Amino acid sequence: MRDDELAAAQAYVRLLEATRAALCDPDDAPLYMPLLAAPIEEADGALRRAGLSGNESRFFDLVRSLRPSMSDSGH
C-alpha cells in the first residue's frame, strides 16, 4: 500500500469512527453533525490525492486491509 493510499484509508476509518460517535445518540446527533465537516474534508482530500475517487472497490480493499473486521460488516 502506498503512503497516499494508507492516508486515505486511515482518513476514512477516522471519519467512520467520528460518525458513529456523533450518531450514537440520535437526540444529540444534530449537535455533533458540524463536527463531521473536518473528517469529511480530510477523507475527500486524501481520496483525491491517492487517485481513489471513483475507485471504491480498490479503496475498500485498502480499508479492509487496515480493518479486517469490516470485511463482513456491509461497509
Side-chain angles (χ1 to χ4, degrees), residues 16-46:
L16 181 62
E17 291 170 351
T19 301
R20 285 181 175 158
L23 300 178
C24 71
D25 184 350
D27 294 332
D28 291 337
L31 297 172
Y32 297 111
M33 293 304 286
L35 298 176
L36 296 177
I40 289 170
E41 190 173 313
E42 176 194 13
D44 284 344

Side-chain angles (χ1 to χ4, degrees), residues 3-75:
D3 287 345
D4 56 351
E5 292 174 335
L6 176 61
Q10 289 173 329
Y12 172 78
V13 169
R14 283 191 293 276
L15 173 58
L16 181 62
E17 291 170 351
T19 301
R20 285 181 175 158
L23 300 178
C24 71
D25 184 350
D27 294 332
D28 291 337
L31 297 172
Y32 297 111
M33 293 304 286
L35 298 176
L36 296 177
I40 289 170
E41 190 173 313
E42 176 194 13
D44 284 344
L47 284 169
R48 279 191 305 279
R49 287 187 296 278
L52 293 168
S53 294
N55 190 353
E56 290 80 8
S57 178
R58 171 76 179 130
F59 173 66
F60 284 111
D61 286 344
L62 296 169
V63 170
R64 280 188 290 275
S65 73
L66 289 177
R67 298 282 297 263
S69 63
M70 296 181 77
S71 293
D72 296 322
S73 66
H75 294 97

